[in-house]
Amino acid sequence: MSRLLRSGRLLNAKKHIINFVSSAKDDKAFLMHLVEINKAHIVMLTENGIIKEKIGKKILSTLSTTYEKIHLSDDIDDAYVAIEEEVVKNIGVEIGGNLNLAKSRNDQVATAIRMNLREELLFLIKVIIEFQENLLSKSRKNLKILMTGYTHLQPAQPITFAHYLTAQFDVLQRSMNRLKESYTRIDLCPMGSGALATTSFTINRQRMSELLGFSGILENSIDAVGTRDFVLEIIAIMSILGVGITRFVEDLIIWNTIEFGIIKLPDSFTFTSSIMPQKKNPDILEVIRSKMSSIIGEFVSCAVILKGLPSVYNLDFQEITPKLWRVLKSSRECLSMLSDILENLEVKSNLLQKSSLGFITATELANILVRNHDIPFRIAHNIIGVMIRTLIENGKLLEDITPGLLENIAKKTANINLKIKSEEINQAINPTMVVESYNIVGGPAKKQVKLMIISREENIEKSKDWVKRNQGTIKQSKLFLNSTINLILQSNT
Amino acid sequence: MSRLLRSGRLLNAKKHIINFVSSAKDDKAFLMHLVEINKAHIVMLTENGIIKEKIGKKILSTLSTTYEKIHLSDDIDDAYVAIEEEVVKNIGVEIGGNLNLAKSRNDQVATAIRMNLREELLFLIKVIIEFQENLLSKSRKNLKILMTGYTHLQPAQPITFAHYLTAQFDVLQRSMNRLKESYTRIDLCPMGSGALATTSFTINRQRMSELLGFSGILENSIDAVGTRDFVLEIIAIMSILGVGITRFVEDLIIWNTIEFGIIKLPDSFTFTSSIMPQKKNPDILEVIRSKMSSIIGEFVSCAVILKGLPSVYNLDFQEITPKLWRVLKSSRECLSMLSDILENLEVKSNLLQKSSLGFITATELANILVRNHDIPFRIAHNIIGVMIRTLIENGKLLEDITPGLLENIAKKTANINLKIKSEEINQAINPTMVVESYNIVGGPAKKQVKLMIISREENIEKSKDWVKRNQGTIKQSKLFLNSTINLILQSNT
Amino acid sequence: MSRLLRSGRLLNAKKHIINFVSSAKDDKAFLMHLVEINKAHIVMLTENGIIKEKIGKKILSTLSTTYEKIHLSDDIDDAYVAIEEEVVKNIGVEIGGNLNLAKSRNDQVATAIRMNLREELLFLIKVIIEFQENLLSKSRKNLKILMTGYTHLQPAQPITFAHYLTAQFDVLQRSMNRLKESYTRIDLCPMGSGALATTSFTINRQRMSELLGFSGILENSIDAVGTRDFVLEIIAIMSILGVGITRFVEDLIIWNTIEFGIIKLPDSFTFTSSIMPQKKNPDILEVIRSKMSSIIGEFVSCAVILKGLPSVYNLDFQEITPKLWRVLKSSRECLSMLSDILENLEVKSNLLQKSSLGFITATELANILVRNHDIPFRIAHNIIGVMIRTLIENGKLLEDITPGLLENIAKKTANINLKIKSEEINQAINPTMVVESYNIVGGPAKKQVKLMIISREENIEKSKDWVKRNQGTIKQSKLFLNSTINLILQSNT
Amino acid sequence: MSRLLRSGRLLNAKKHIINFVSSAKDDKAFLMHLVEINKAHIVMLTENGIIKEKIGKKILSTLSTTYEKIHLSDDIDDAYVAIEEEVVKNIGVEIGGNLNLAKSRNDQVATAIRMNLREELLFLIKVIIEFQENLLSKSRKNLKILMTGYTHLQPAQPITFAHYLTAQFDVLQRSMNRLKESYTRIDLCPMGSGALATTSFTINRQRMSELLGFSGILENSIDAVGTRDFVLEIIAIMSILGVGITRFVEDLIIWNTIEFGIIKLPDSFTFTSSIMPQKKNPDILEVIRSKMSSIIGEFVSCAVILKGLPSVYNLDFQEITPKLWRVLKSSRECLSMLSDILENLEVKSNLLQKSSLGFITATELANILVRNHDIPFRIAHNIIGVMIRTLIENGKLLEDITPGLLENIAKKTANINLKIKSEEINQAINPTMVVESYNIVGGPAKKQVKLMIISREENIEKSKDWVKRNQGTIKQSKLFLNSTINLILQSNT
């Protein structure tokens, strides 16, 4: 604990105790924002006559070099204390000792976390957008690449790689929307809440919010310093996104096996074994899978820490913030790496060459019995089921179906006198034609996927605008703060 | 597995195996919605000429009594199968066998969960609104009730009970906003996605969405049947809300101790001990705390289940949905019970009677040194710190301060020649006056809290409107579906 | 709350409040044990002259029918109260009112949970043993069935199915050992601890332990009623076991795909699709995977509930116990079902027929260069690596290697003049011979796996003995308690 | 990826990709152990004639300086590769290229983790023992310090501080026992398992185990490289321990409040506020509480990562190990800090001075009615309940009871003609006498607590022996390995 605070109520603490509770190293993440808060606060105090302009000027002047001078280590409590020490060192306690007048560690830390989080979120969303762009451009290139659509890891129906990738786009989009919605809850300024009960000095909270580029204040002062729900919210969203990514990655790992052989990872993204020279292990995908998985654990840590805490501020909060930054950094890296892999991925349709997967069009055979032959769906489904069992038991494939065989089974199974033509069968078992027949909004037919790509490209533009707008607001507020400071410094009073 | 499905590709499964995988019991939650989906689907198929009107009429006619007739037990796979069996039992497979034409278990279950979830969410939000109303009316009654504001469970600064309660309002409000935002992601219709690739029948997804009262379709068919991220999202939000509630409840449990004695739980909400006749245990609060805590575990269960699953549908999904309903039901009950407790709570300000808590106004004493005597804040903070140590070491209280004592300490500690009047000190250590001086937006002064209450009352009106509007949409769609069915049944073709 | 308790310190609670906190339904799990505890307690009180023999006899006599008569519903607090009410109803409060003399709800519930848990654990361990027996008998049948050993889901080296299954045995064994070790911590009797501080009556805790078949007492009375760490411990072990099972199941699901085709699930354990007649979905395996996954969430729920609770008893405990029973029941069912599936599984070696997997013996080729030709391992590894790349680029397989090719590459890559014979190569690339050459303790060679099977069969016998011994102790204690009661009832005093 | 491995099957990977998957930094934790493994392996290969003695000598000779020379950074894959590169750099690939003959990254990493974990566990257990010693010596000093025993945070019955502390001892002891049991599962050697299938070289696994000081081998080679259940197990145990600690800490935080005032934290372990000079915040306790809480999240991360992974090795494993080390380090620090705090804690019995807590002896009053006046327990319980309500309603305390009052209530409530003496009442409401009357094994009476302390002191000796024995074994094995190496180096062949 700083001598600044120790000399009053409490005696000095031992060094290893300071080290134990110190958050200084973790505070690096938002030191710059803390300095900005101090600047804005002194501006506001000066403007409102709470401190004299002369004092305000001196403090503002020294604060301009504070960020560069501070070295955060475990030997000090936290960045909050470090800033005051630095200021006092430069201009003495007589003047510098007013730095923390009418504010508190509690409202400053809450504000600084939000400021840093705003920037982190915008950065993250940009990475997601780049990933989405890759998904769409890869989709455009693979509009016609048939692939097996699996459910339960069993071949279900034919789709296209582009159809699959646009689904992944939407998974990302929903989490991005969640992040954007959170942003509006984060972009609120706690400053002025003090320790929990505001202050008896006539401060201007709205002005602080403006100087720091927030969209408004976080009103109730108890709530403003006592909530960390926004940390839980962001990590929860990242958990959801993470789960989505693990599923995408799991697909890729399975499709990259020799047995599935649907995709080929480029050499530069795989690793061999130390003793098995034939191996091409999808190491990066595995690391992404595990890193994205462990966000769930970070969510649990934060939720457990907060559970049952008395309201308002407790130091337990301190353990949460580093987890937030860690999750965001790790997610960004994983998403960016996965986006790279996607870009360099080779797709090898496994559908047309592997006849064993041909049963995938069986639904369509049943549909044709319904559509062309007026057989009720459930009966058609049974007939085709029996036919497939027969084929498999005889080691045959879908292309071995003959009208005769099908007619026999229809008779035996359902007592139906079917008359079917070879062409009907051929059409039904041709995956390319089947995919094109799935010409329903959201389906795999080329036309539908193209429409999806186009509307998602528009979506990307909107997302980019959103990021740009918010980045602009932040940048603007920094310029505004600095010019306001300069005006004060240059004024003659 | 139903004989309907078993007679084709697979032989019969043993009963205990069916029991093991059956979701039938859990499907009760959305059986009604599944029936509605079937109705809407048959309407749409008939309208688009995919099935003949004659067949459509027969199926629609029998579906009108299906819901009442079905008894779900572990002996059948799931509700999906039960409905088809019931229909076929009534009107034969020749006609009823078309019930599942051009749709799949996958899109139906996804749709039914969303339909039920919409209603559950609206119900939950109503409970939250009622709770919030209680918070505000309790606030209005306690605008002047001073209480100790704690941080780190140590007395920090004086606030009022009303100030505290409006903070709790805001905690709830943020989670309600999250739920509302989720609602827009849930209120989208997967129908028409089939197993994962839509269908070759020319169905109309937009029409399905309209008949079921959705705000639009969930476009990509792979995504529509393959995502359960909305379940994660709702349980994540409920975890966050739950953590907030555990903190509120923790406050109440601690304040209800004999030692704190800030609140008094009514007898009807406490329980005595089986062997200790003097006990008044806050059992209900403890049950609420633990129930709200365990939502975090439900989130983990769902996230772990989904982690690393191949994309699209896997039966693992089935284990998730019951957890969702369980969380929502339990949360509703807890919130409602807590709201009841709040209403019947007695508040006993511990601030004015317990002089040991009087140091709570120390910040204000320091502030006065700054404001009236031009002492830099940090130095004032130190002087007051030393003074408090001195008082405690001598077993004295804040009210024992005299100008002389303070002046002495100012001299000794900071070499300052202070001249302070008794009135200044008395004002600074009077909690009522201190609270009124915290007259900053969001602070505890009566004026500020009143303003907060008024704006939150407006908020409640908006929330109520939102619920009403969405309930109206759902109700309207049910009427619309029924009238559409009646039109079809009455038409002569 | 029972009128028994309400009439004293507290007024009546409303019904919905009782319902909310009631644990009665969940208490069914250990009602029988609670009755036994009451019997033992009255025996002990009588033996020690704390209650008069006459009273003891009357209570013991009525307790003999209590279990059958009690119907637990949400309208009563819990089983503890229900028993006293039933006894008082039968023999009046004058006599029956002594039932809870010198004991408390706290020590009784803690004891009853431990008694039920003992039985549940023994039951669970029996299920694990049966599963292990299946693993060994399946191993014996598949000693020669070669299979691809995968790491990173890429073919690594050849193993046998028996080798794989004995690994699964060991995974189960370790968790069984953990359960056995826990058992010694659970098999301790809290009775006599009272609410938390024992009692001023001269009870005999050792006697209670004996009458209830415990191996000893749980000494410190605060700890005895205040810990639920054994619940966390069991659920933690089941989480670990669960994670192991999900990995086993994941193997089976992947090996059951058409693409891998290593195993074939029997029809009776798979399900078809509602619209895709060709599907044979591994539904049961998926349900097992998800059920075993969600134990992690149950662990979290329990840990979160307990986190930060003040020590000794809090009603939060009540929410934990039902989760324990749920985990144990669900695990038993899953393990038993998986054991069934294993028994009926068909294994189809994918190794000899699929030449694309043949690179799996590449390590051995490198080894031969080292062993027979004195080439340093890393260089041999590189040579074979280059050779495999060459083969793949030319669309060739391992069996296409010729001495000439290998010699060329050795020259080019490492400037080594290799002279190798066809036989050497043929031996190295023959998976059967390679597997037999892995003749190291713990390895896949038939001899080694046989040895492992034999020692594990001995292990099973030991496990069975352990279960039998503990079941015997419990059974014996019940007989002992009853005969002690009979002696008291028949004595003439 | 090292050029050593890249030059064969795969082309070079880009640097940022290496960085992304590199575990090198995390591998520092066990680099030393990896070097030892390499030494032992070369010894064993030499002894068994698998490599020539000349080569063995050269490699062993260079390995003696390897550990110091290696600098692990993100630019290399991992420590495994770094060691081979270092050796090859020194003695060329012709000789050094044999370093990884007949072993694999998989078995080495698994072995090294276990070796490091053994040492970490012994270190941790020593810290726990020291903590336990503090608990016992503090107990000895506080045998007579009465305190309120709370359940539901409401005063229940009187206990002593010593009684409370021995309960905390037992909580720690159980987790220590769990750790010791885990140790036997961890202290097994995977070496020789190779990638998963052992090797065709005639290695000696037993010898490796001996040279590395293991108690035996981890037999099945698939299991040996494919399991990380021991990581889950340790983190699960630490979660359970952590939950226990959070409850202990919660007690201390609450007891340290001004309102409870049971303990007094020394100044050096508390911190003041930045703006509230009167504050003495229990910051360290809060940090301990949150750090111990977040172990649960680490457990979840690891479990989620492992869930559903295909068996044997996947790179996902790599993300788990750093979490293990982090948990152990953080736990050690927290336990040690908490032990320090305990040592310096002042206890202020709140029982005798605060008459409002006096109802705590009410159970004893009821007991006296039973014991001396033959009133059935439930009726006695009710009488005392009514009496307490009467006292509270009249603002009176337990010491205000008179025989007359009690007799009146007995008459009114239960129609009992009670005749009770003042001395009886006085005895029953005297906490000191009540505590001494709780003279049952495990109870708070001084005699009982003394006995508990003595037996626990013996326990500590056993624990110390256990640690010493295992540390001895490890130390011995290092000496043995070195002397074996020296013998080889000095031999003349």
Side-chain angles (χ1 to χ4, degrees), chain B residues 148 150-157 250 253-254 256-260 267 272-283 286 300 304-307 309 316 350 354 356-357 359-360 362-363 366 377-378 381 384-385 388-389, chain D residues 150-157 250 253-254 256-260 267 272-283 286 300 304-307 309 316 350 354 356-357 359-363 366 377-378 381 384-385 388-389:
Chain B
T148 311
Y150 294 89
T151 60
H152 309 264
L153 217 51
Q154 296 282 325
Q157 292 175 337
E250 180 79 1
I253 288 176
I254 291 175
N256 182 52
T257 57
I258 291 180
E259 288 80 0
F260 275 76
D267 278 8
T272 192
S273 149
S274 54
I275 63 162
M276 296 166 290
Q278 83 281 8
K279 298 287 298 268
K280 260 185 73 177
N281 295 328
D283 286 14
E286 292 173 322
V300 170
V304 181
I305 288 174
L306 291 175
K307 178 257 167 168
L309 283 193
D316 311 62
N350 70 337
K354 293 202 185 175
S356 62
L357 299 177
F359 291 118
I360 205 172
T363 316
F377 174 69
R378 183 57 58 211
H381 183 273
I384 301 301
I388 288 174
R389 199 172 61 221
Chain D
Y150 295 88
T151 60
H152 308 265
L153 217 49
Q154 295 283 325
Q157 292 175 338
E250 180 80 1
I253 289 175
I254 291 175
N256 182 52
T257 57
I258 292 182
E259 289 80 358
F260 274 76
D267 277 9
T272 193
S273 150
S274 54
I275 64 162
M276 296 166 290
Q278 84 280 9
K279 296 287 299 265
K280 260 185 73 177
N281 295 329
D283 286 13
E286 292 173 321
V300 170
V304 181
I305 288 174
L306 291 174
K307 179 257 167 166
L309 283 193
D316 311 63
N350 69 339
K354 292 203 185 174
S356 64
L357 298 177
F359 290 118
I360 205 172
T361 52
T363 315
F377 173 69
R378 184 56 59 212
H381 184 273
I384 302 302
I388 289 174
R389 198 171 63 220

Side-chain angles (χ1 to χ4, degrees), chain A residues 235-288:
Chain A
I235 304 188
I237 295 171
M238 296 315 295
S239 298
I240 297 171
L241 177 60
V243 166
I245 294 296
T246 65
R247 299 185 66 189
F248 187 10
V249 166
E250 179 80 1
D251 284 345
L252 297 180
I253 288 176
I254 291 176
W255 296 350
N256 182 51
T257 58
I258 293 181
E259 289 80 358
F260 274 75
I262 298 179
I263 60 163
K264 192 167 169 284
L265 295 176
D267 277 9
S268 59
F269 287 89
T270 57
F271 291 77
T272 193
S273 149
S274 54
I275 64 163
M276 297 166 289
Q278 83 282 7
K279 297 286 298 265
K280 261 184 73 175
N281 295 329
D283 285 14
I284 298 176
L285 291 174
E286 291 172 322
V287 170
I288 295 173

Side-chain angles (χ1 to χ4, degrees), chain C residues 109-167:
Chain C
V109 169
T111 307
I113 295 172
R114 286 168 184 265
M115 289 175 75
N116 195 47
L117 184 49
R118 286 189 308 194
E119 299 184 14
E120 287 276 341
L121 286 180
L122 295 174
F123 186 6
L124 173 67
I125 289 175
K126 280 176 78 171
V127 169
I128 298 177
I129 293 172
E130 280 164 34
F131 191 0
Q132 286 185 316
E133 286 182 310
N134 263 339
L135 282 163
L136 291 191
S137 84
K138 198 84 185 178
S139 293
R140 281 210 174 273
K141 286 176 200 147
N142 289 282
L143 277 166
K144 296 188 194 168
I145 300 295
L146 293 185
M147 67 179 291
T148 311
Y150 294 88
T151 60
H152 309 263
L153 218 52
Q154 296 281 325
Q157 291 174 339
I159 55 171
T160 68
F161 198 57
H163 187 211
Y164 172 81
L165 292 178
T166 52

Side-chain angles (χ1 to χ4, degrees), chain C residues 286-380:
Chain C
E286 292 172 322
V287 170
I288 295 173
R289 180 172 57 186
S290 57
K291 278 184 193 287
M292 297 308 284
S293 297
S294 65
I295 302 175
I296 300 167
E298 300 282 17
F299 176 76
V300 170
S301 290
C302 294
V304 181
I305 287 175
L306 291 175
K307 179 257 166 167
L309 282 193
S311 61
V312 203
Y313 192 85
N314 301 275
L315 201 65
D316 312 61
F317 281 7
Q318 180 176 295
E319 290 300 306
I320 288 177
T321 333
K323 297 181 201 301
L324 174 65
W325 310 139
R326 195 160 64 201
V327 163
L328 291 170
K329 179 167 182 288
S330 162
S331 303
R332 259 188 348 248
E333 287 172 0
C334 287
L335 289 169
S336 163
M337 193 58 74
L338 185 55
S339 179
D340 264 24
I341 291 177
L342 178 74
E343 207 179 336
N344 292 284
L345 210 62
E346 241 177 85
V347 190
K348 303 180 294 176
S349 173
N350 70 338
L351 213 132
L352 295 172
Q353 69 229 43
K354 292 205 185 173
S355 48
S356 63
L357 300 178
F359 290 118
I360 204 172
T361 53
T363 316
E364 202 43 33
L365 264 177
N367 283 349
I368 274 181
L369 296 189
V370 176
R371 195 151 43 212
N372 302 357
H373 299 275
D374 223 17
I375 298 178
F377 174 69
R378 184 57 60 212
I379 294 172

Side-chain angles (χ1 to χ4, degrees), chain D residues 120-138:
Chain D
E120 287 276 343
L121 286 181
L122 295 174
F123 187 5
L124 173 67
I125 289 174
K126 280 176 78 171
V127 170
I128 298 177
I129 292 172
E130 280 163 34
F131 192 179
Q132 287 185 315
E133 287 182 310
N134 263 339
L135 282 162
L136 292 190
S137 84
K138 198 83 183 177

